[in-house]
Amino acid sequence: MFRNFFNIAVRNLSKNKFFTIVNVIGLALGMSLSLLFIALLFFLNTFDNFHPNKDRIYRITSQVHDQKDNPAYASTPSGLAQKLRELPEVEKVVRIQQSLNGEVHYHDKKIRVEGYFADPNFFEFFQFPLVQGNKATAITNPNSLVLSETEAKKIFGSKEAIGQAVEMEGYGSFTVTGIFKDLPPNTHFGFEAVASYATLSSNSTTAALPNDGGWKSFHGSYVYFQVRADAHTANLQRYLDQIAKERYAKEEIKTSFRLQALNRIVPGPELYDQLGPNWGYLGLFLIGLMTLIVLVPACSNYINLSISQSLERMREIGVRKVMGGQKKQIIFQFIVESTTIVLVALAFSALFAEVIRKELLMEMVETSPIDLRPTWQTFTGFFFFALLIGGVTGLVPAHYFSKISVLNALKGKELKGSGRSIFRKVVLTTQFIISLGFIMAVIVITRQYQYSVNYDLGFDQKNLLDVQLQNADAQVFKNEYQKLPGIKQISLSSQILGIGSGEERYIRAANGTDSMKVSSLSVDEAFIT
């Protein structure tokens, strides 16, 4: 029976070529963004799935109750680590401090790196393989440093990195004790170097650890732990509640702690002070909503075109009913036909998605790495998505045609029903509303772009050049280029004005008690003019 329905579907689609081409192109364009969204969901589902015992690894998050914003943080007091080590349910604990940021000096090279201070068991706890060095002892001693392959190559070139001494701005001298493989794109971590946690307390040049275990100020501090196979997380949560109650009993601002499973970090809830990329549920919902807005008009277009062909299909349906065709068989026939169109459109939408994917990744070069290359899992998801779309788009015309009586079908009379008419009007109206919304959005975005390009910034932008020094000596550059006759004036700055947040600092009024975080721009005396 299915083969018969498929042959009839192919015959009808080949007979109505214009109808088929319009729907295939429309559905292909509408589905292309949805395919990228499906690929994104599959990619996010692989985050941190390569760590051993990943199902037993948790992170502690903090909920601050300040009676105002009540922010939730991914960071937590480092003092919790020692408390957790005392529990029989906990096997391993690792602390991470996200403050290893600065320029690494090696001879005449200055390479900026960002990373963590971590406990000695960091590389045994997480599966970040070392290509050189011993993961058990690499960051045991103070001032030990492990670099990524890329950063090691930038700093040392082809030289042997292990055992080399480097200076890091703000932290003093380090000894390179290991090289780890560059991070895969599917991890919520983001670091280029890892230094021993003992460095924080042993080196006077580094930012000292808080004496109180960070119970009041825990920015950039993270605690991960691994539980026993037979452990009950409910007991751990009750223990964390008891600690919070005792620690903040006399404080005006309270803080509570929550367990967050490793596979619930990405995607996960929106949290402040994240370690790496923050793929929250709200952001994914908005992206999914955008793809749905693009997909719905394409499906509505197919439904309307299918019903508009009713007069051509009436006699076919009438003959089927005279020959004993049942209602469910007629419904199944139209669902097979719509699914066939969608599967053909799927091949074209995959091509469109590939083009869009490359452009999208080029635009997101400054954000977290994303791997949207199709795999067998994503192709399976694409196939079932096409079946779903085919079933949904074919159900409406199938239901419409199945309700036509044999007599009206043979006479070629269209079904007159208020419910069907209202539904079709709703579908058509929705399609026009979304289409007009897209047109208005394009106009608004275009006008906004023109406004931002032509906006008066208060200075003449003509003949101004921004040059990235790429670790060259700034004063030498300035001295040499000032000799050129075409150069009128040269200014130095740490950032391009308006691009990038600059260096973050905390400032406080002379007579104030509280501080605030601001972004700063370092410039020379010629910058204002």
Side-chain angles (χ1 to χ4, degrees), residues 115-273:
Y116 309 148
F117 292 97
D119 280 327
N121 61 339
F122 178 82
F123 288 103
E124 293 181 303
F125 193 98
F126 297 108
Q127 185 63 26
F128 297 120
L130 295 185
V131 294
Q132 286 184 274
N134 188 333
K135 63 180 181 180
T137 60
I139 51 175
T140 300
N141 299 323
N143 297 92
S144 299
L145 183 68
V146 179
L147 296 169
S148 69
E149 286 183 297
T150 297
E151 298 306 312
K153 188 174 182 180
K154 287 181 183 178
I155 298 170
F156 304 107
S158 58
K159 293 182 181 179
E160 176 65 32
I162 301 297
Q164 296 283 358
V166 296
E167 293 286 331
M168 193 164 185
E169 197 175 72
Y171 300 99
S173 178
F174 285 92
T175 301
V176 178
T177 55
I179 307 295
F180 63 88
K181 285 186 177 180
D182 290 340
L183 299 184
N186 59 330
T187 178
H188 77 282
F189 291 100
F191 59 91
E192 299 161 334
V194 180
S196 57
Y197 204 88
T199 309
L200 290 172
S201 56
S202 65
N203 195 329
S204 59
T205 60
T206 61
L209 289 172
N211 295 326
D212 64 346
W215 294 103
K216 293 183 180 180
S217 178
F218 45 83
H219 179 82
S221 173
Y222 307 86
V223 175
Y224 291 78
F225 65 95
Q226 179 181 313
V227 299
R228 297 172 61 90
D230 56 349
H232 297 285
T233 56
N235 296 335
L236 291 171
Q237 185 59 59
R238 283 193 291 269
Y239 181 71
L240 292 176
D241 293 340
Q242 183 62 31
I243 292 177
K245 185 178 180 180
E246 294 174 358
R247 283 286 178 177
Y248 299 99
K250 298 180 181 180
E251 301 292 336
E252 182 178 352
I253 297 179
K254 313 293 184 183
T255 302
S256 59
F257 307 115
R258 293 290 180 268
L259 299 176
Q260 185 179 31
L262 185 66
N263 60 359
R264 292 290 183 268
I265 295 178
V266 177
E270 301 280 350
L271 299 173
Y272 291 102
D273 202 16

Side-chain angles (χ1 to χ4, degrees), residues 500-507 516-522:
S501 59
E503 186 177 356
E504 293 184 343
R505 301 176 184 272
Y506 286 90
I507 63 171
M516 64 181 295
K517 185 166 66 173
V518 298
S519 296
S520 64
L521 188 71
S522 300

Side-chain angles (χ1 to χ4, degrees), residues 313-323 405-406 409-410:
R313 305 294 298 274
M314 288 294 184
R315 290 181 176 83
E316 175 193 340
I317 303 303
V319 171
R320 275 193 169 274
K321 289 195 172 187
V322 168
M323 298 297 293
S405 65
V406 176
L410 292 175

Side-chain angles (χ1 to χ4, degrees), residues 5 73 155 163 199 228 304 310 313 334 347 355 366 404 411 416 444 461 476 487 490:
F5 288 153
Y73 291 87
I155 298 170
T199 309
R228 297 172 61 90
N304 284 316
S310 58
R313 305 294 298 274
F334 279 91
V355 175
E366 296 296 333
I404 299 177
K411 289 181 178 180
K416 303 295 183 182
V444 170
Q461 300 179 62
V476 172
I487 303 298
I490 294 180

